[in-house]
Amino acid sequence: MKRVCCAVILACLLAALFPCVSLGQAGDDSGAKLDEMLKRYDTLGACIAVIQNGAVTYVHCYGQARPGGPDITAGTVFQVGSISKMVANIGLMQLLDSQGIALDSELGDVLGYPVRHPDYPDTPVTLRQLMTHTASLRDSGDYQEALYGSPRSLSQLFGKRAQFTFYKNREPGFERVYSNFGGGLAGSLIEALSGQTLDSYMQENVFAPLGITAAYQPSLIPKDTPMADMYEMPQRQLAKALREDPTAIAQPDAETHYFLTAGKLVISAPDLAKLLIALCDGGVYQNARILKESAVREMTTPQNYRGSVACESGNGLFMNIITDNQVEGRTMYGHGGKANGMLCAAYFDPSDRTGVVMLTNGCNNRSVHNGVGMLGRQIMRLCYELIITPAHAVEDPFLVE
């Protein structure tokens, strides 16, 4: 009786917060098949959200926030790894647009001092290169030290330590090499351009307008919000307790805050789905616009030989573009996350305004195909096969009755 009552209460809450949402339960066929797939990959806990025509239409919860409970709910927040980069880029693109800064502007022009690869002093290092992982930036020991609380200043990393910051003999703009340090620099740029802390800017300009509970520092999430720690599976070994992160940063410091946006965003699946809807629908969720349509178009455009990128990057701006039948017959846009035992995925198809978010706090995340975790691929395929394709009819968001 208790489980039935909880399900009813949760369904009512979802109906209020996310119109047209169907709560996936063990009794429905879609939910059972999703559960079977999650179990196959030794998943501890997960939440899946489906988007269609500008709304979250289906949410399915599975498993536990930690071994022994509590159960995952639609309101449970997860750390989402590298999806953090794509979300931070929404804020960065806002600032570039509002301040008239071009994508091919030099990184050093924003930071206030020259940024050059020591082997290629005449080649500019640009914002577009940063957003396409073509800036030749390494995840060096200096970046690892920053993750553990001992950051060197960016002026040091791009000055006397530049030989350790860049890949040797790789000219900026000519090769794509994935960089978490580069993704983390998005947060520094947001602070440099806004004069606010990363979380303050994102809360004010991205999260609050969409009614989202999210932060790049777990200590900023309300204490009564359920949070899923991260576990190595199938051992069920705690990999990271999110609430143990230090006290939130109170003052902006672009020189040292380059370790947040690479992977530290904490958010629920339905709230992350709102951000996907905005990216899917040209920068708009319901009545709130968080990006100009032109900015979304640039983010989702393959950056091959575009501007200061002199190679085939194969992706957009801090956004993956998957054309290898991840979901048959579709080109999918978005990002994944993988760290500390967890695996997450958030992808959309703007051609018919659909998408899927899958967040986990621990699973067998070692199986990967073309950079996408296999569990995420399988869950997306199931959601399209069982939930989206059977009844979906695309609606024109600009049609006025």
Side-chain angles (χ1 to χ4, degrees), residues 303-316:
Q303 300 291 307
N304 302 328
Y305 301 97
R306 195 169 175 87
S308 53
V309 175
C311 65
E312 287 202 18
S313 81
N315 291 280

Side-chain angles (χ1 to χ4, degrees), residues 89-231:
N89 206 36
I90 294 172
L92 182 53
M93 293 292 282
Q94 287 179 343
L95 286 162
L96 297 181
D97 182 72
S98 66
Q99 297 185 27
I101 300 172
L103 287 170
D104 292 304
S105 298
E106 294 195 31
L107 177 59
D109 289 345
V110 178
L111 294 177
Y113 44 80
V115 174
R116 283 290 192 276
H117 191 310
D119 296 334
Y120 304 95
D122 297 326
T123 301
V125 179
T126 70
L127 300 175
R128 191 189 300 272
Q129 292 166 1
L130 184 75
M131 295 177 186
T132 55
H133 298 283
T134 63
S136 193
L137 294 171
R138 293 179 56 208
D139 293 340
S140 65
D142 289 329
Y143 175 67
Q144 298 303 319
E145 287 183 19
L147 290 177
Y148 290 103
S150 301
R152 298 178 189 269
S153 69
L154 287 177
S155 57
Q156 286 181 297
L157 298 186
F158 291 125
K160 63 183 179 181
R161 298 189 66 80
Q163 61 180 316
F164 306 110
T165 303
F166 291 94
Y167 282 103
K168 189 172 180 58
N169 297 324
R170 285 183 176 169
E171 186 174 358
F174 283 82
E175 184 178 355
R176 185 180 189 272
V177 182
Y178 194 86
S179 172
N180 282 307
F181 173 47
L185 278 172
S188 284
L189 294 175
I190 287 171
E191 294 200 350
L193 291 169
S194 71
Q196 300 175 245
T197 65
L198 166 69
D199 274 299
S200 176
Y201 181 84
M202 293 296 290
Q203 173 64 24
E204 182 179 325
N205 296 279
V206 179
F207 302 148
L210 303 189
I212 285 173
T213 298
Y216 281 87
Q217 299 170 91
S219 55
L220 293 172
I221 298 289
K223 299 260 185 239
D224 60 350
T225 303
M227 187 174 290
D229 291 331
M230 302 164 77
Y231 287 83

